[in-house]
């Protein structure tokens, strides 16, 4: 019988304080530094679910709405949304607050895709299935198919006519 | 008369060597570090075109096809594809080679969007138009509208029915 | 009526992967880097409880039992154990696992003391009381008095004869 | 005949200037960064005395009295206080001054314990004896036994009743 | 027939923005950080020409005329000026501008010498000849002999009486 | 009466261990990182003598003879050789040893020139005279005039015919 794991089993939390060496010349967190932290948190989460090394395969659209000033505290929560054959999608949610913990708000979100790789051969290895439990987990699990189709479409690996899930969105 | 600038005026090149402190535990460039460098190169390019400070607004899908091992040299080229009212899109192309300069190959690409901001008020400021000249520049310029529509759609800021450019792709 | 807060309100989790630039020449996590991360996590926790900036006042004895090799994942959990007038004690617990999430084990623990300071004057400010709930929380709360006495004794700020809590331990 | 070495033989001095990337959001040296530097200086000193690689085993209580502002210069002096069988204790003294060299003052002190390890097997290796010469060196040498007893007691590796050196301090 | 390469073949451009963690306590780029970047850019250029690993052998006099403030953008251009038997000279030119691209000016220049080394044995390896084409390239190529003589003289490896090129400069 | 200070008053020692994140892809200390450390040590020394902030004005020829492998310990000693009106020259000597303290050898040397600047106006400020005492100090003091002449000559700020000290070296 195939193994399956829960979302909670690999949920990863990373809290960081914005120090001077994380900022840009305007005194806010540099977008690139946030992406670096998100990649680490998402990678730890993916490796824990896959029980293997992983390599970043892609990152979907990331939006940056609000400047995050020096001294802010950010909390990155990474959870697996769905496991495919040798790859898996991780949702990365970033919440920002003042150093005092006050004024908490959602600031960024992104979907990362990782490939599980063998430590020695670097060949892709099989990933345990994900077993979503809550309503939120099930919604993210369902949407993963559509996001994957969009990625393949953007990468030119399928044609628009093959993107059946997305096509449906544009039906009258 | 409105000012316009050429692609060449703000083209930005960043060459880096993968040092031990840029690598992941497998000895390859960490995905997050590459994203950080791309964000800096793209941001320099955007600020030079806009002649103002800029803030990262979003990054489109980035794919990572090949591991980039310790000692590799990467060359990031950032060029403006199109300027909108107070924002602009930058295309970031990454080429990787061995330290000897041999075995050069394309490794990553991404589109970044930046908002031009006033240094003091941080309010959005107007951006000079882009004047594409070569065939490649014109193609990137044209595609920018479609990519922007996709971003607004993914961000939930327009409905599928309003995404006229994308919709066309799914017509029979 | 005086405000009081729960342990859970400021509990802070920081997960990190040991990258090449965190290691010492033997390829294991450098002790000093671990201390730096623990200080950040404990400081975020303290600031959140105090709802103010904080400054590290002291760190109790830290032991390093096991080498933590490159690629390991560490999870630092910081919780307030007790709030005094303008200072508070934070317990910092470090758990280490392989990148796969397997082979998890306790690796380090330490108590940090912080002083809450006003952002502008840097003068000490009053800290909300802690309200311990679970058995573990109550035990840590109770022990905080003895650890504080030990710190004052080591710092030469009280005499051995005044260290009533510690003295008791040495009674026949 | 057993080898013995002098304190001066391994005395290690590390001078650093507080740069923007060493500071916290209040513009002072981050406590964790100071601990990192102390660990490096103490480790170099220990390795030089032991003539082998070393691993940090523990750090005693460190106090932080004064904020150390951006641009300050700190001088860390590390000296071996006593060598045991396969471990040794290092005293780390931190002096701070303004960039001009003026306004010099003691800011921190800590005792580090290191285990000497074989580079290949990582097994503990024998450490040369320390031969204290000055009055200060002899005092630190003598106190090392008591501090060691306290560490074992705090680590729960001896009972209060066995801590004969410390017990004496609490006699009427 | 001996291989020869053009200057353009290995020309290397590195663009960087001065972030807070590159600055000194006065808020300008730290001289040492600029030297580090120049060494990386020059080393990439040398390795590309030599088609082998390289080790920095020496850096000639570097002058720092103007403070480069936080938020500036620097562009380092490295070009080979001449190849000797197993070593080569690289000219490194630094141009600084405001983040807006305005107010561009030359800020630093330096000549680096590298030795081409075999990746495995680290023994020096032969370097392809340089074939200068433009007037500027020819002038740099010609001057390389005189600069090399000065280096050998400063290093005490030739006597003043043997420095025929330099001696000529001092003839009446 | 004019103030004068001794060499010993501002002598600065910086000891560092070569960690993985200081190395190049061959596993040795990157030349640029060594230059960065030398600049910091020399700058601390200069500021202490000048009792003011300082800015790096120039660095003379630096040679790199030996690769410094991961895990080595380097000791940088910086001493003022001579003070001019508003500038001063610092000699920077680098000694390398294995982590065990064994196999110690000279590895690099360089002369740095700094300008003393007022913290607020950044205008050059007067520097106390240096009073050399030992034979070595006197020799470095005397040579400073010749090195300064060479710097002015290389910078094109004096003509060969005006370089009276250097010219003498080339007399028959």
């Amino acid at each position: 019988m195939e193994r399956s794991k829960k979302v909670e089993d690999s949920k990863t939390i990373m809290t960081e304080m914005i120090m001077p060496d994380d900022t840009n010349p305007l005194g806010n967190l540099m977008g690139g530094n946030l992406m670096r932290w998100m990649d680490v948190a998402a990678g730890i989460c993916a490796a824990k679910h896959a029980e293997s090394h992983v390599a970043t395969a892609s990152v979907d659209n990331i939006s940056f709405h609000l400047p995050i000033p020096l001294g802010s505290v950010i909390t990155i929560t990474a959870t697996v949304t769905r496991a495919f054959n040798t790859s898996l999608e991780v949702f990365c949610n970033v919440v920002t607050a003042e150093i005092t913990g006050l004024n908490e708000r959602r600031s960024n979100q992104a979907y990362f895709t990782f490939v599980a790789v063998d430590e020695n051969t670097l060949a892709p290895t099989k990933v345990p299935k994900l077993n979503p439990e809550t309503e939120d987990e099930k919604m993210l699990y369902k949407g993963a198919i559509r996001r994957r189709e969009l990625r393949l479409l953007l990468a030119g690996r399928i044609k628009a006519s093959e993107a059946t899930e997305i096509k449906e969105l544009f039906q009258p």
Side-chain angles (χ1 to χ4, degrees), chain A:
Chain A
M1 206 197 77
E2 204 171 5
R3 252 181 340 145
S4 83
K5 297 174 76 172
K6 297 182 192 173
V7 173
E8 200 60 33
D9 293 338
S10 57
K11 185 179 170 182
T12 299
I13 296 172
M14 180 192 270
T15 310
E16 302 282 352
M17 190 184 289
I18 312 308
M19 298 282 178
D21 72 336
D22 304 315
T23 59
N24 62 22
L26 293 174
N28 297 318
L29 174 59
M30 215 196 70
N33 283 338
L34 178 56
M35 286 190 260
R36 189 189 176 286
W37 276 330
M38 291 169 84
D39 183 53
V40 176
I44 292 173
C45 170
K48 196 166 181 182
H49 179 87
E51 295 177 18
S52 74
H53 277 262
V54 296
T56 313
S58 73
V59 188
D60 287 8
N61 191 287
I62 314 183
S63 296
F64 300 86
H65 308 294
L66 298 161
I68 303 178
L70 173 68
S72 300
V73 170
I74 61 167
T75 307
I76 302 174
T77 306
T79 46
V80 178
T81 60
R82 186 164 192 153
F84 299 99
N85 193 26
T86 59
S87 71
L88 65 178
E89 192 195 62
V90 172
F91 175 59
C92 215
N93 189 36
V94 185
V95 167
T96 309
E98 290 176 18
I99 205 173
T100 55
L102 306 177
N103 202 7
E104 197 172 283
R105 64 203 185 282
R106 274 189 153 208
S107 62
N108 306 74
Q109 296 167 52
Y111 293 93
F112 285 72
T113 313
F114 293 89
V115 177
V117 294
D118 182 86
E119 186 175 1
N120 301 307
T121 65
L122 295 186
T125 61
K126 221 161 148 28
V127 173
K129 291 279 160 263
L130 182 82
N131 188 14
E133 296 182 320
T134 69
E135 275 318 297
D136 273 4
E137 290 171 15
K138 283 175 186 164
M139 210 170 64
L140 285 166
Y141 182 85
K142 190 151 171 287
I145 292 289
R146 198 177 58 248
R147 287 185 298 271
R148 194 190 193 205
E149 209 178 78
L150 182 58
R151 259 167 240 137
L152 294 170
L153 185 65
L154 290 172
R157 289 166 60 191
I158 61 172
K159 291 180 199 153
S161 59
E162 298 172 272
T164 48
E165 291 272 333
I166 297 171
K167 225 160 126 182
E168 213 164 85
L169 296 174
F170 294 97
Q171 299 311 318

